[in-house]
């Protein structure tokens, strides 16, 4: 028997102002696209912006439904949109932000478990690291070099071959 350990490195910036210009621009756009969310039930509006290797920018936001399980997170709306519009062009970075009427948007949020699975599959498919930039409307920002790091011991397409 042996015990194993999983850990990963990520970068924490004190605020958006510390980010390199390109990442700063993406996070600002993610903040803006929270306005496009349809979140009348949770009132938790999430915006996600993808920058593709071609330079294209694609937007996603969470889309809820009165039948709650029908709702989609911003990350999966974004991945489906990118894969439909630009199936051959890899995403380089995704910035994710949020706002809420009930709580302050002053710290980063991470993708939920389902979205981690979707991000991991996308990254495996394009065979390139997908960078995540996570930040609220204010406060610190996390930059994670590869989305798959958020899902250790993932169930992958390899299992189905
Ligand atoms: Zn999610």
């Amino acid at each position: 028997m042996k015990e194993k350990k999983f850990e990963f490195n990520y970068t924490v910036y004190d605020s958006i102002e510390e980010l390199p210009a390109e990442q700063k621009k993406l996070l600002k756009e993610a903040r803006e696209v929270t306005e496009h969310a349809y979140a009348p039930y949770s009132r938790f509006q999430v915006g996600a912006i993808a920058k593709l290797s071609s330079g294209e920018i694609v937007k996603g936001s969470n889309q809820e439904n009165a039948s709650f399980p029908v709702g989609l997170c911003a990350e999966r709306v974004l991945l489906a949109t990118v894969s439909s519009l630009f199936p051959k062009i890899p995403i380089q970075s995704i910035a994710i932000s949020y706002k809420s009427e009930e709580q302050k948007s002053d710290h980063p949020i991470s993708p939920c478990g389902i979205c981690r699975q979707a991000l991991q599959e996308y990254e495996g498919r394009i065979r390139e690291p997908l960078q995540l930039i996570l930040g609220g409307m204010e406060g610190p920002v996390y930059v994670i070099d590869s989305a798959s790091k958020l899902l250790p011991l993932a169930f992958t397409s390899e299992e189905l071959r």
Side-chain angles (χ1 to χ4, degrees):
M1 187 195 88
K2 64 179 163 187
E3 196 168 276
K4 293 192 171 186
K5 184 171 154 185
F6 173 81
E7 59 185 359
F8 72 97
N9 295 324
Y10 61 102
T11 309
V12 180
Y13 294 88
D14 287 339
S15 81
I16 192 172
E17 299 308 322
E18 285 186 1
L19 287 174
E22 193 175 301
Q23 294 175 342
K24 189 173 170 178
K25 185 167 172 278
L26 289 180
L27 184 55
K28 276 187 178 169
E29 290 186 74
R31 287 175 173 177
E32 288 167 17
V33 82
T34 59
E35 294 294 334
H36 299 190
Y38 175 66
Y41 308 107
S42 70
R43 293 198 284 276
F44 193 86
Q45 296 175 252
V46 182
I49 293 286
K51 178 163 190 261
L52 312 190
S53 62
S54 60
E56 299 275 359
I57 298 293
V58 181
K59 301 174 182 183
S61 58
N62 56 327
Q63 301 295 317
E64 295 183 349
N65 192 285
S67 173
F68 287 5
V70 175
L72 284 169
C73 300
E75 296 91 328
R76 278 176 294 135
V77 168
L78 181 65
L79 287 177
T81 304
V82 170
S83 295
S84 301
L85 293 175
F86 305 101
K88 306 269 189 235
I89 307 176
I91 299 173
Q92 280 183 340
S93 300
I94 293 180
I96 302 166
S97 192
Y98 67 102
K99 70 175 189 177
S100 162
E101 287 173 19
E102 269 97 64
Q103 50 198 306
K104 284 190 94 174
S105 175
D106 60 0
H107 63 277
I109 54 164
S110 284
C112 78
I114 294 177
C115 289
R116 290 177 194 211
Q117 181 73 28
L119 288 161
Q120 182 277 133
E121 177 103 7
Y122 183 88
E123 196 175 76
R125 207 170 82 192
I126 63 169
R127 298 184 186 285
E128 283 180 35
L130 197 178
Q131 180 188 65
L132 298 178
I133 303 161
L134 311 175
M137 291 292 168
E138 56 184 333
V141 178
Y142 297 168
V143 176
I144 300 166
D145 288 336
S146 166
S148 297
K149 288 180 176 176
L150 290 178
L151 195 64
L153 303 177
F155 180 81
T156 71
S157 58
E158 295 298 315
E159 313 297 345
L160 302 177
R161 294 213 166 113

